[in-house]
Amino acid sequence: MSGLHGLDRMNALAKELLEDESYYKLPNLRPKDAATLILIDHSGPVAKVLLGKRHHGHKFLPGKYVFPGGGVEPIDKRMPTARPLHRHAEQHLMRAVKRASPVKARALALAAIRETYEETGLLLGRKARDMPAPTPGAWAAFAQAQILPDLATIHFVARAITPPRRPKRFDTRFFAADATTIAGRIDGMIGPDAELIELIWMPIAQARQLDVPAITAVVLEELEMRIAAGLGHDLPVPFYQMRHRHFVRGLL
């Protein structure tokens, strides 16, 4: 996997950053825990993934095609689930993490599901007859629809940390789930004034050719190889970060 073309692209961008004098004037922020979700449609002969186009007015990644995602919130720790994370996914999430815990691993996966709802209106999980007490915020929509997130269907496929001295830095965990986990939909979340102005399903190879962030291209390559290997929970998880002025690919 060392021949990833997306990694070459990331290192080319890193070189441009390091050659820009303004780069060294920015503070070195601590990365914020974040999570994103890749929905995969296996219904056709070629697997397709869901991407959203960000509003051109956003300061962060304007006009780019991205996976839905965002920062972890305190309420993510408290949301009940239909089933827990697969043990291998939990173990991978707890590696190379300060103060690692199953609670934090669980919150990361739940954040990916919540952010997917907030940005796309898609509710991932299982229908439940008996719902626990309503949870505030975005999770209230799941309670109203009688849907519990199902973490057993979530695959942890990659992790990446934004380079130092960027205006925003994230320690992002990339998750994947089959499109059949969509249990409900709330209309009106996509539009000209929303965070994502459109959604598209694209074959992975074609998605890499869109105007996507460099790390998105890398993760799409990783995902394609992971699907070919069976998309097992026990597969090692790639971890991208900048070391000694270059992006490196480790394994969790």
Side-chain angles (χ1 to χ4, degrees):
M1 293 189 184
S2 59
L4 292 169
H5 297 298
L7 183 57
D8 294 337
R9 178 179 168 187
M10 288 172 66
N11 275 315
L13 291 174
K15 183 179 179 181
E16 290 180 14
L17 284 176
L18 294 169
E19 291 175 349
D20 186 348
E21 292 184 2
S22 64
Y23 170 82
Y24 300 94
K25 298 177 183 179
L26 294 171
N28 194 9
L29 303 174
R30 181 178 179 179
K32 180 180 179 180
D33 283 325
T36 189
L37 185 67
I38 311 167
L39 280 170
I40 312 170
D41 181 359
H42 288 285
S43 63
V46 178
K48 295 181 179 181
V49 294
L50 181 68
L51 295 109
K53 187 175 184 179
R54 286 180 60 80
H55 195 285
H56 286 282
H58 285 300
K59 292 182 179 179
F60 183 65
L61 302 177
K64 297 281 187 181
Y65 284 93
V66 298
F67 308 124
V72 179
E73 301 294 342
I75 58 171
D76 297 328
K77 295 180 180 180
R78 305 194 297 271
M79 182 62 189
T81 62
R83 292 187 296 173
L85 281 166
H86 189 281
R87 62 184 181 87
H88 286 305
E90 182 182 271
Q91 290 168 2
H92 288 311
L93 284 162
M94 291 172 60
R95 291 174 184 162
V97 175
K98 292 183 179 179
R99 297 183 292 277
S101 72
V103 172
K104 182 173 183 177
R106 178 179 180 277
L108 285 161
L110 281 166
I113 294 173
R114 174 184 52 76
E115 286 285 342
T116 296
Y117 159 68
E118 290 183 336
E119 295 184 5
T120 70
L122 299 176
L123 300 159
L124 274 66
R126 287 185 168 197
K127 283 286 186 177
R129 292 182 180 179
D130 299 318
M131 292 293 295
T135 305
W139 289 116
F142 285 76
Q144 292 168 6
Q146 293 190 301
I147 294 171
L148 279 175
D150 185 5
L151 299 189
T153 64
I154 300 296
H155 294 260
F156 179 34
V157 298
R159 178 181 172 189
I161 297 180
T162 309
R165 303 186 187 282
R166 292 289 79 206
K168 290 186 178 183
R169 295 192 71 204
F170 298 100
D171 186 346
T172 304
R173 281 71 166 191
F174 293 83
F175 296 92
D178 195 276
T180 56
T181 60
I182 300 172
R185 181 191 305 267
I186 305 296
D187 294 327
M189 307 294 275
I190 304 295
D193 298 320
E195 185 167 348
L196 298 180
I197 60 174
E198 67 171 321
L199 295 176
I200 58 170
W201 290 94
M202 292 280 289
I204 297 174
Q206 294 181 31
R208 292 205 307 267
Q209 306 305 315
L210 295 173
D211 185 11
V212 297
I215 185 58
T216 301
V218 169
V219 173
L220 284 168
E221 288 182 78
E222 294 279 7
L223 180 64
E224 197 166 34
M225 291 184 287
R226 204 172 188 86
I227 291 173
L231 199 61
H233 288 285
D234 58 339
L235 293 171
V237 177
F239 179 17
Y240 289 90
Q241 58 184 319
M242 186 178 280
R243 294 274 185 173
H244 308 296
R245 303 171 68 88
H246 289 86
F247 273 100
V248 295
R249 179 185 184 273
L251 292 175
L252 297 173

